[in-house]
Amino acid sequence: MSKKYYIIDFDSTFTQVEALDELARISLQEHPEREQIYKKIEDLTNLAMEGKLSFRESLAGRVQLLEANKDHLKQLVKHLKKQVSTSFSRNKHFFKQHADDVLIVSGGFKEFITPVVLPFHIKKENIYANTFVFNKEGKIVGYDENNPLSNEGGKVKLLKELQLPGEIHGIGDGYSDFQLKESGMIKKFYAFTENIERKSVTEKADHITPSLDEFLYLNNLPAAISYPKNRIQCWVVGDVPDAAVKYLKKEGFTVKHTAKLEDKQLKEAGIILLGHKETIAPEKLAKATRLKVIGYLGNSKKYISQETCTDMGIVIFDNIKKAESVAKRIADFINTGDAFKSSNFPNIQLPKVKNGHRFVHIHRNVPGMMAKVNQVLADHSTNIVSQFLMTNERIGYVITDISAEYDKKVWQDLKQIKDTISFRVLY
């Protein structure tokens, strides 16, 4: 099998922002015409990223407008470290395991890229970017024009020089990233849309990846979470405040509104958030085979069959006054398995697990289930780090944290235990 390399962009991919735009906001904060200059710099950035202006013209124009120095760069680095993309921040383990295979290739500048990516186990020799030119006072007066990355098509030229001996995959948000695929230098181009979505780029991509989790999942690479949250469909029905919707979107779920839940929507829903007095009949709920959680803005017991949901392994969170609190509980349940303050599940509050995986097993409350679960884990020589069990009159809820290495056949065996309702791996 040929070696694989992963070429990753920096601005609006590794980080949530465009670094030169942020540098301008630092260096020009006392400038009387700062807003007009910010706008010019942002326009130059977007024109280049959309392929409407040559990269060299855009870069030269932005650097000329910056009025920045080394002290401003120090402030920028401190800021960028807090602006690393959320899905990159939670997947440091991937970068550590693939330190030899990951390259940062950017039209940005090493002076601010290197200190931001080094803590992610990315090797200094695998960082390819432009470099600034300074005068004696430490002011930025230009950049190294001999660097291929300062030119139009610079990423293509760089990869031709590197001649990497293997299969190359590229992740980025801009036109210069797509050029790698267009030139035939990489096998697949993934348009990264966690921070910004450029239609001119996404329509040409091999795959749109709303998070790094999606990319890792597609390529069977080590990931912090077992299933990308962008693949979990959340349907919002009725009068639901924007704050709750925004919270779920920020968490990475795909959120859509509908006036009425149709059968097709029920079948694909992983989350449903209902406004006050909205209802789903038990026979309709039976069609929601992927549904994990219902959020209800009111007293759910009057409108949703608690028994049907419990028997299907669907947890319910409700709250009459605090919509955002319901959204937070939904996210906590998906992220950690925490069923605290649920109206129908055993109320279990869970710590986060580090350097391992969490199995969630929901079953009918019959004798001997814990022994059966542990027997499966023992048969696969699975090392248990911690375990939690709570029951109510209908179901049992077992949370098992295990060490990082395990036989994936254990999933199937746990699902096949008699009286199992559902099983999932959180991370």
Side-chain angles (χ1 to χ4, degrees):
M1 185 182 292
S2 65
K3 182 177 175 64
K4 289 186 179 181
Y5 292 94
Y6 307 102
I7 306 297
I8 301 177
D9 184 36
F10 182 77
D11 294 293
S12 294
T13 299
F14 198 100
T15 60
Q16 301 172 40
V17 294
E18 291 288 329
L20 286 183
D21 296 4
E22 299 302 301
L23 180 56
R25 294 196 174 275
I26 292 168
S27 64
L28 298 167
Q29 58 185 330
E30 304 297 331
H31 198 289
E33 296 178 10
R34 59 186 177 276
E35 292 303 326
Q36 297 95 308
I37 301 174
Y38 295 158
K39 183 68 168 57
K40 285 180 184 178
I41 290 173
E42 287 174 3
D43 287 346
L44 288 167
T45 298
N46 288 325
L47 286 169
M49 291 299 100
E50 293 167 7
K52 297 175 182 176
L53 181 70
S54 79
F55 184 79
R56 169 148 269 191
E57 287 178 279
S58 169
L59 185 64
R62 286 179 287 165
V63 171
Q64 189 176 10
L65 291 166
L66 280 175
E67 296 290 327
N69 58 41
K70 288 184 177 180
D71 286 337
H72 295 138
L73 282 170
K74 289 178 184 177
Q75 295 176 54
L76 175 66
V77 167
K78 189 176 180 181
H79 173 62
L80 291 179
K81 285 183 175 181
K82 298 175 183 177
Q83 295 294 321
V84 173
S85 294
T86 305
S87 62
F88 276 72
S89 292
R90 66 171 164 257
N91 280 294
K92 277 190 176 182
H93 185 60
F94 160 71
F95 294 104
K96 186 175 183 178
Q97 282 203 351
H98 289 267
D100 293 329
D101 316 327
V102 173
L103 285 74
I104 301 297
V105 178
S106 171
F109 290 82
K110 282 188 177 182
E111 285 83 357
F112 54 74
I113 292 175
T114 300
V116 173
V117 303
L118 282 181
F120 283 75
H121 313 284
I122 291 166
K123 295 183 175 180
K124 201 168 185 178
E125 61 267 28
N126 284 353
I127 302 168
Y128 296 90
N130 285 299
T131 53
F132 286 120
V133 173
F134 301 90
N135 65 14
K136 291 179 180 179
E137 289 74 40
K139 181 181 177 181
I140 296 170
V141 292
Y143 54 88
D144 178 6
E145 295 184 12
N146 294 318
N147 188 322
L149 289 167
S150 70
N151 295 304
E152 177 63 21
K155 293 186 178 183
V156 174
K157 292 171 186 173
L158 175 70
L159 256 65
K160 284 180 179 176
E161 290 178 9
L162 293 178
Q163 290 290 305
L164 298 173
E167 186 177 294
I168 306 171
H169 295 254
I171 311 167
D173 66 287
Y175 183 73
S176 63
D177 302 300
F178 165 70
Q179 284 178 323
L180 290 172
K181 176 62 189 289
E182 192 177 40
S183 68
M185 294 302 300
I186 63 175
K187 183 175 181 180
K188 281 189 178 181
F189 166 58
Y190 297 81
F192 187 79
T193 59
E194 184 172 317
N195 305 307
I196 188 167
E197 185 170 342
R198 307 180 199 275
K199 190 177 178 182
S200 60
V201 177
T202 57
E203 62 188 12
K204 296 173 182 176
D206 292 300
H207 193 90
I208 297 170
T209 178
S211 66
L212 185 63
D213 306 301
E214 171 78 2
F215 172 81
L216 299 177
Y217 179 78
L218 282 171
N219 290 282
N220 197 30
L221 292 164
I225 57 179
S226 63
Y227 190 75
K229 286 195 279 185
N230 59 273
R231 292 191 172 209
I232 301 176
Q233 177 71 65
C234 173
W235 284 104
V236 176
V237 188
D239 185 14
V240 175
D242 286 344
V245 174
K246 286 179 180 176
Y247 188 93
L248 292 172
K249 284 182 176 178
K250 186 179 178 183
E251 278 291 312
F253 302 111
T254 297
V255 182
K256 293 181 181 178
H257 293 255
T258 184
K260 181 183 177 183
L261 282 166
E262 304 294 340
D263 288 354
K264 183 182 177 183
Q265 294 164 339
L266 280 164
K267 286 177 182 177
E268 67 184 29
I271 299 168
I272 294 175
L273 181 56
L274 297 168
H276 185 48
K277 293 187 178 180
E278 296 291 337
T279 185
I280 307 174
E283 61 270 19
K284 285 276 191 180
L285 275 172
K287 297 174 182 178
T289 53
R290 295 183 183 179
L291 188 58
K292 296 174 178 63
V293 55
I294 292 175
Y296 199 89
L297 307 187
N299 184 348
S300 63
K301 292 180 177 68
K302 295 180 181 179
Y303 302 97
I304 301 293
S305 170
Q306 308 286 300
E307 293 80 10
T308 301
C309 286
T310 305
D311 290 344
M312 291 179 66
I314 302 166
V315 66
I316 303 170
F317 297 104
D318 58 14
N319 193 302
I320 295 172
K321 296 180 180 179
K322 297 179 180 179
E324 196 169 352
S325 175
V326 172
K328 185 178 185 303
R329 288 179 200 162
I330 288 171
D332 285 348
F333 176 73
I334 296 293
N335 293 341
T336 69
D338 194 326
F340 184 60
K341 292 191 176 179
S342 161
S343 66
N344 69 322
F345 258 45
N347 270 223
I348 187 167
Q349 199 165 10
L350 297 162
K352 290 184 178 179
V353 65
K354 294 182 179 180
N355 302 318
H357 297 274
R358 174 165 287 173
F359 292 169
V360 175
H361 190 272
I362 302 168
H363 56 265
R364 294 178 185 85
N365 189 6
V366 296
M369 286 299 293
M370 195 68 170
K372 290 176 184 177
V373 168
N374 284 334
Q375 185 60 56
V376 169
L377 296 171
D379 289 345
H380 290 278
S381 302
T382 308
N383 183 37
I384 298 174
V385 176
S386 58
Q387 199 167 45
F388 309 86
L389 167 68
M390 286 196 75
T391 63
N392 61 23
E393 66 277 7
R394 300 182 80 91
I395 63 167
Y397 191 47
V398 179
I399 305 292
T400 306
D401 293 343
I402 66 166
S403 56
E405 299 300 323
Y406 67 95
D407 180 356
K408 289 189 178 180
K409 192 177 180 297
V410 73
W411 298 357
Q412 198 59 39
D413 290 352
L414 286 168
K415 289 176 184 177
Q416 289 177 352
I417 295 174
K418 186 182 176 184
D419 292 311
T420 293
I421 295 171
S422 69
F423 169 81
R424 66 188 175 110
V425 184
L426 293 192
Y427 28 70

